[in-house]
Amino acid sequence: MGSLGSKRKSSPVKEGSSPKRPRTDGGGGRAATSNKDASLNCYASKPVRFIIGPCDEEFFIHAELLISQSTYFKSILNPDPQKRGKNALEFTDIHPNIFKKVAGWFYTKDAGNLCARDLVDVYIFGDNFGIRNLRNDMIDRYLESACLEKGTMASSLLRYVDENTTTPQLKNAIIAVMAHSCKPQRIQQLSPEKLSEYFTMSLLATVLVETLKISQARESDDVATRPTLTRLYEDRCRFHDHGEGEPRCKDKIEEVKNVLIRDEESDNEALASVAQPGG
């Protein structure tokens, strides 16, 4: 499975983690990301200093970006910029490489190149710190990669995801990919050691049931409705967390299209009025 079985000594941020006592020492530090494509409004806010990992690497992210995307940081960062102080938020249990990818996402909505383990750890970060859009982006990238790699990506990380997240979306996406990419017999042929490594008993039961459902659906005579990884990716919105009352991705796309159409019609009407004699 390539990088899927790799292990990192430094674990991602743990569930329920909270900042340790703020540090007040100085230091120039370094910026986590460039400001490419960032909202100009965020630069009016004060950067928040982070101390990350066991080697105390230092990063900065503008407060407005943190508050706009993360329920956790919105709850702990003082809304008054003058009262935030110079203290740093310290997280020794987050791998600096993962934090750097997350910081890049805050500014550009792109977490960069991700192996399967990194993708999962970035999702876990979004889960622990209440960053819904980051989680949705990681689900999209996982499903896209799963299509390209024929379902192998992150399948061995299912138990790791289950044990380190409180939101079910990525776990459900991995289970769906496994169900679309292998037969129940293949899972049952795994050695007891692999079964215990990849699954808990409840996870194994869920995967087998979903795999059996997909296998039966593939026997349908209607080629247009047979389940495939491509169709799973096209329907990726069902794995997203959009919040109560928020429209699905397809509804958002249609809404944007309608706005563009209205704008185009309005522009055409304006041009027509100008072209008229005396306009």
Side-chain angles (χ1 to χ4, degrees):
M1 296 244 183
S3 61
L4 299 184
S6 61
K7 303 293 183 181
R8 181 185 289 113
K9 293 182 180 179
S10 299
S11 63
V13 61
K14 297 176 181 177
E15 180 181 342
S17 293
S18 59
K20 297 186 178 182
R21 185 175 181 178
R23 292 170 49 130
T24 57
D25 56 322
R30 57 190 174 88
T33 66
S34 69
N35 60 11
K36 181 181 179 182
D37 297 331
S39 170
L40 293 177
N41 291 334
C42 80
Y43 296 106
S45 65
K46 189 174 182 178
V48 176
R49 188 160 65 98
F50 290 87
I51 305 298
I52 301 299
C55 296
D56 292 352
E57 293 193 39
E58 193 172 35
F59 298 89
F60 293 89
I61 302 178
H62 284 85
E64 189 62 33
L65 290 176
L66 296 167
I67 292 171
S68 67
Q69 294 291 338
S70 166
T71 57
Y72 175 81
F73 290 117
K74 183 177 181 179
S75 69
I76 69 165
L77 292 176
N78 196 307
D80 184 352
Q82 301 302 321
K83 296 181 179 180
R84 287 185 190 137
K86 298 181 179 180
N87 294 343
L89 301 180
E90 183 177 356
F91 299 95
T92 59
D93 55 351
I94 301 177
H95 196 284
N97 183 53
I98 296 302
F99 190 86
K100 185 174 183 179
K101 292 179 182 298
V102 171
W105 179 88
F106 270 110
Y107 285 91
T108 67
K109 296 301 178 285
D110 183 2
N113 295 328
L114 297 170
C115 67
R117 177 60 183 265
D118 285 348
L119 186 151
V120 167
D121 282 347
V122 169
Y123 179 92
I124 291 173
F125 187 104
D127 179 67
N128 289 332
F129 288 95
I131 312 174
R132 189 175 62 192
N133 290 331
L134 177 62
R135 298 197 304 268
N136 290 343
D137 282 356
M138 292 305 102
I139 287 173
D140 287 353
R141 290 194 59 170
Y142 164 66
L143 290 173
E144 181 181 6
S145 298
C147 286
L148 295 174
E149 300 184 20
K150 305 302 181 183
T152 60
M153 184 179 183
S155 58
S156 62
L157 295 173
L158 175 59
R159 181 168 183 168
Y160 175 71
V161 171
D162 183 50
E163 293 174 347
N164 287 278
T165 58
T166 59
T167 54
Q169 284 79 14
L170 181 58
K171 177 182 73 174
N172 292 341
I174 294 175
I175 290 173
V177 167
M178 294 181 71
H180 280 72
S181 57
C182 63
K183 297 180 179 179
Q185 296 87 336
R186 181 181 172 188
I187 297 174
Q188 293 170 334
Q189 290 171 356
L190 291 173
S191 67
E193 292 78 14
K194 288 295 182 182
L195 285 174
S196 62
E197 179 184 348
Y198 292 173
F199 309 103
T200 60
M201 290 301 295
S202 61
L203 278 178
L204 179 60
T206 301
V207 170
L208 287 174
V209 168
E210 292 301 314
T211 304
L212 183 60
K213 287 181 182 178
I214 298 300
S215 295
Q216 292 173 344
R218 281 179 175 158
E219 297 175 0
S220 169
D221 293 332
D222 188 355
V223 178
T225 62
R226 285 179 187 171
T228 64
L229 285 172
T230 300
R231 291 197 176 99
L232 185 67
Y233 174 72
E234 291 172 348
D235 192 32
R236 60 194 178 279
C237 185
R238 70 184 174 99
F239 298 106
H240 290 171
D241 176 9
H242 284 308
E244 186 175 354
E246 186 176 345
R248 284 169 53 92
C249 296
K250 291 181 180 179
D251 297 331
K252 288 182 178 180
I253 293 171
E254 289 302 318
E255 182 179 343
V256 171
K257 285 182 179 178
N258 291 334
V259 170
L260 292 175
I261 291 171
R262 287 198 300 269
D263 288 347
E264 185 177 356
E265 291 175 347
S266 178
D267 290 342
N268 290 337
E269 289 176 2
L271 289 172
S273 64
V274 171
Q276 291 176 358

